[in-house]
Structure formats: structure tokens, C-alpha cells
Amino acid sequence: GRPPVEGPVTTPLIEEPVLKELAAKYNRTVPQILLRNLMQRGIIVLPKSVTAARIVSNFQVFDFELKQEDMEIIKGVNKELRLFQFNYYGKQNFLHPFFPWPELALTYQPGENLPQV
């Protein structure tokens, strides 16, 4: 399973009104808009699903492009939420080369909360 989300509870991205508007504009689903946005930003996307319809939907992102101004709108949907908590797996994460707080590696104690960035 996935670790619990820490921090304030916010509206899920799939329910964000501005993303729903973009989905309607492009005649797509919100997940398709989000996947396409990541692809156009050069981010490798590995969507996970076991539902046949969602797997098919995840592949229907190659026949359209988002306009730059729409990508800027998506960029503005900031939840100030870290979905991956490095402290979930314990102290071994501090050895990862992309650990965001290397100065904490020496003093961290399991169970402590890490800063949210």
C-alpha cells in the first residue's frame, strides 16, 4: 500500500474546478490533462491502474497538446503538499542523492516529521 498523506487535507486534484474546466476545453478527463502536462514538461510518467478503461484512457494523451497558457494555469494549482514522505521508509532515505534536506541526515530520529516544501 501507499503511505498515508501527511499534512492538511485538500481537494483532490481530480476535483479542482480549474482542471475540470481545462478537461472540458480539450474534451478530455482531468487525469489525461495532468498526464499530458507532465509529458510536455519532460517528466517521465508511469501511471498505475488495474482498471481496463483507465489503462486505455492513460494512453489517450498522445493525440493532443496543451497550450502554454493552459500549462501555466495547471502550474498555478499548487497544493503545498508532499505526496512522498521520505521518513516513511526510515533513515536509509537520507543516503539518497536527491534527499531534499541533507543537513537533517545527521540528527533525524525515526518518527520525527520532516519539513514540508
Side-chain angles (χ1 to χ4, degrees):
R2 77 176 69 150
V5 174
E6 297 179 10
V9 176
T10 61
T11 304
L13 282 176
I14 199 167
E15 295 175 15
E16 274 295 322
V18 70
L19 296 178
K20 286 182 174 184
E21 289 174 19
L22 286 175
K25 175 181 175 179
Y26 287 92
N27 197 28
R28 302 293 171 153
T29 66
V30 172
Q32 287 172 327
I33 295 296
L34 294 172
L35 289 171
R36 184 68 211 181
N37 174 63
L38 292 171
M39 289 172 54
Q40 282 183 226
R41 291 173 54 199
I43 297 172
I44 296 171
V45 180
L46 301 172
K48 174 194 161 287
S49 184
V50 295
T51 307
R54 287 187 185 152
I55 293 169
V56 169
S57 178
N58 288 340
F59 278 101
Q60 295 171 334
V61 295
F62 298 102
D63 60 347
F64 75 103
E65 283 194 15
L66 298 171
K67 294 180 180 176
Q68 185 59 41
E69 58 264 23
D70 293 333
M71 291 184 60
E72 291 298 320
I73 291 170
I74 295 168
K75 189 177 179 180
V77 180
N78 185 353
K79 296 292 187 173
E80 295 292 332
L81 180 66
R82 179 175 290 278
L83 297 178
F84 179 79
Q85 299 293 325
F86 278 93
N87 61 347
Y88 179 75
Y89 296 103
K91 195 162 183 157
Q92 72 269 18
N93 289 312
F94 294 113
L95 303 176
H96 193 281
F98 297 115
F99 181 73
W101 310 282
E103 67 279 359
L104 294 179
L106 300 174
T107 61
Y108 173 79
Q109 296 298 314
E112 287 181 348
N113 287 327
L114 296 175
Q116 298 291 310
V117 294

